[in-house]
Amino acid sequence: VQLQASGGGLVQVGESLRLSCAASGRTFDRYDMAWFRQAPGEERKFVAAIDWNGAHTYYRDSLKGRFTISRDNAENTMYLQMNSLIPEDTAVYYCAARPRYADYDPWGSWGQGTQVTVSS
């Protein structure tokens, strides 16, 4: 599956942003999906994940309550709603996919990343 992330930009502290990840093909619902982020000088870190039908979601503990992951299988798109943004959220955000029911497999498909910058 090919992934295209979008929706990043420059925002002020406290503002919101919604990222999108569009997937190619007609097999989107065969994949679990996730968001990761990478800040300058840091390793890529897990942000959130959602299973193939949206029944289960998972979040990095520090982001619970501010970020919400969702998906629309009819539109082949995943979203990340980010609220109350802080400068520490500044990073390149990547979407990723792996086949459903493969919880222990690595995330094998990646989008190109979208830059989020939170200015104070």
Side-chain angles (χ1 to χ4, degrees), residues 18 22 25 34 44-45 54 58 67 70 72 83 87 96-97 100 112:
R18 189 176 80 157
R44 191 173 299 186
K45 297 179 180 177
Y58 310 88
F67 286 18
S70 62
D72 184 341
N83 297 329
R100 63 188 187 187
Q112 86 290 359

Side-chain angles (χ1 to χ4, degrees), residues 25-83:
R26 295 178 289 180
T27 60
F28 185 60
D29 62 356
R30 295 182 184 179
Y31 292 90
D32 296 338
M33 300 292 295
W35 289 99
F36 290 76
R37 70 185 186 185
Q38 187 168 20
E42 297 185 11
E43 295 182 348
R44 191 173 299 186
K45 297 179 180 177
F46 171 78
V47 172
I50 187 167
D51 66 358
W52 65 275
N53 64 353
H56 299 94
T57 57
Y58 310 88
Y59 295 92
R60 189 175 190 83
D61 285 347
S62 60
L63 301 177
K64 289 179 181 178
R66 291 197 301 120
F67 286 18
T68 303
I69 190 171
S70 62
R71 66 189 293 163
D72 184 341
N73 285 351
E75 297 293 328
N76 284 6
T77 304
M78 173 182 64
Y79 304 98
L80 184 68
Q81 178 67 41
M82 306 185 294
N83 297 329

